Amino acid sequence: MVSRKQALLEVKGLKTHFFTEDGIVPAVDGVDFSVAAGETLGIVGESGCGKSVTALSVMRLIASPGRVVAGSILFEGRDLAQSSQEEMCDLRGNRMAMIFQEPMTSLNPVYTVGEQIREAVQTHDRQISDGAARVRAVEMLRMVGIPLPEERYRAFPHEMSGGMRQRVMIAMALSLAPALLIADEPTTALDVTIQAQILELMKDLRERVQTAVMLITHDLGVVADMADKVAVMYAGEIVENADVYSLFREPLHPYTQGLLASIPTLASTRNQRLNVIHGTVPNLLRLPPGCRFAPRCPKAMDICRQVRPTLRDVDGGRQVSCWLY
């Protein structure tokens, strides 16, 4: 059953659209989800389904020509959709933090990694001295498992490996013990050994400080290892919401079934062909009528091609957007 704990973050009816010369792109189109303290929500789906835009919407980092046009983003009882930029600047890095996809482009190349962590600390804690902030930065580098943290404090981003830079990003994000951590593809382009270390680090920190984690990924293996709940996105919508055990044991939406069937298992043979979801994600400027997955769905019915389904509750506290249910 989906967790009913008190929500730290509750998103309702979120719509983020981009206003282009070709038309309006509904990148996020009516999304609902919640995450509680100490809980991990995995958001999965193909590239272009709206995962990263959802995360940036929560952080209020959507740049022009995009903007949040509807919905509420309740964080600790405050609606971030109505908050001023000054209020958001105070929250970002303090009560909520984000790990971006590519640490090399997220870190400033002309400052040492230690100075960047120290600056993040002092930006949100103006009472702390330079020396105390430096000590905290070194402690954070040590906490995320970087060897010789005093020396690495003086290293520039280009002098560190991809895994080390990702650890620096995690150290910076957690330097003020945020209540919510948004991790956007935190293990992309890392080898499997470093990926496992990063995931173990995030789980350890979640358990130690009860940080809620919103994990965005296309890797269902990472979701199975990390998440408590899963939201499956397709073409700007959430098509299935469930706890991780129910989702992997019995996926309901045909899209979720297709994603899981495309993963090799220990029982797979060398010559066995993996399942393929035929077709492509629809152009958001020219969405099909009815269900957005219908043109690719092997179970589509006439109603699927005519009437758009809504996310509804099914047995066990799960939610699915499909006319089969």
Side-chain angles (χ1 to χ4, degrees):
M1 180 179 290
V2 176
S3 172
R4 297 299 182 188
K5 293 188 290 184
Q6 181 69 35
L8 175 77
L9 172 71
E10 190 169 10
V11 174
K12 296 180 179 179
L14 177 64
K15 293 187 178 184
T16 302
H17 295 177
F18 288 80
F19 298 83
T20 71
E21 293 180 357
D22 296 323
I24 299 174
V25 179
V28 176
D29 200 18
V31 163
D32 301 311
F33 63 84
S34 65
V35 57
E39 189 175 63
T40 296
L41 169 70
I43 300 182
V44 301
E46 293 169 279
S47 296
C49 70
K51 305 186 301 296
S52 294
V53 176
T54 298
L56 292 171
S57 299
V58 171
M59 294 291 288
R60 289 280 306 279
L61 290 173
I62 297 295
S64 179
R67 67 174 185 265
V68 174
V69 298
S72 61
I73 307 167
L74 298 175
F75 176 69
E76 296 182 325
R78 179 190 304 184
D79 189 356
L80 303 186
Q82 305 301 322
S83 297
S84 67
Q85 280 301 320
E86 184 178 350
E87 291 172 320
M88 289 306 304
C89 287
D90 183 60
L91 283 173
R92 295 189 199 110
N94 188 4
R95 297 299 296 155
M96 54 198 303
M98 184 168 178
I99 303 170
F100 295 91
Q101 283 193 37
E102 177 44 61
M104 193 60 192
T105 57
S106 301
L107 293 168
N108 192 320
V110 301
Y111 290 96
T112 67
V113 297
E115 286 300 295
Q116 293 184 63
I117 298 174
R118 181 192 62 76
E119 181 185 30
V121 171
Q122 288 188 297
T123 296
H124 295 283
D125 186 354
R126 292 183 171 84
Q127 303 301 315
I128 194 170
S129 66
D130 287 352
R134 186 185 186 282
V135 169
R136 187 182 296 182
V138 171
E139 289 175 351
M140 294 304 301
L141 291 174
R142 181 178 291 110
M143 185 175 74
V144 297
I146 292 180
L148 303 174
E150 291 83 1
E151 294 181 20
R152 289 294 186 177
Y153 181 96
R154 298 187 292 273
F156 290 90
H158 72 271
E159 298 177 306
M160 308 182 82
S161 67
M164 287 293 186
R165 289 194 294 266
Q166 196 68 286
R167 288 171 185 259
V168 169
M169 289 296 297
I170 294 174
M172 188 182 300
L174 295 174
S175 58
L176 285 163
L180 172 68
L181 174 66
I182 300 176
D184 189 359
E185 303 280 7
T187 57
T188 296
L190 300 181
D191 63 65
V192 291
T193 303
I194 300 301
Q195 174 177 296
Q197 292 174 356
I198 294 293
L199 293 178
E200 284 301 316
L201 170 64
M202 291 177 64
K203 284 193 286 188
D204 179 58
L205 294 173
R206 178 188 63 187
E207 292 168 4
R208 261 197 282 169
V209 298
Q210 282 295 291
T211 295
V213 179
M214 185 173 152
L215 177 65
I216 296 167
T217 182
H218 62 270
D219 190 333
L220 287 167
V222 170
V223 169
D225 186 40
M226 283 286 296
D228 301 300
K229 302 190 300 186
V230 187
V232 181
M233 287 194 72
Y234 184 79
E237 300 178 316
I238 289 179
V239 296
E240 185 165 358
N241 250 328
D243 67 86
V244 67
Y245 300 107
S246 299
L247 187 99
F248 277 81
R249 183 177 63 248
E250 188 183 3
L252 298 180
H253 198 281
Y255 178 62
T256 312
Q257 294 169 359
L259 290 178
L260 290 174
S262 67
I263 302 173
T265 66
L266 292 175
S268 302
T269 62
R270 177 175 296 182
N271 297 324
Q272 181 177 341
R273 294 181 65 86
L274 295 177
N275 180 69
V276 173
I277 301 176
H278 296 286
T280 59
V281 177
N283 185 334
L284 294 180
L285 287 169
R286 292 183 292 275
L287 290 167
C291 176
R292 295 177 181 181
F293 186 61
R296 306 174 67 189
C297 182
K299 301 179 180 179
M301 304 173 289
D302 288 341
I303 191 174
C304 302
R305 301 181 180 90
Q306 298 168 8
V307 184
R308 181 179 173 186
T310 58
L311 196 66
R312 63 188 68 191
D313 294 332
V314 294
D315 292 342
R318 303 172 62 173
Q319 294 179 311
V320 64
S321 175
C322 181
W323 288 113
L324 292 173
Y325 308 95

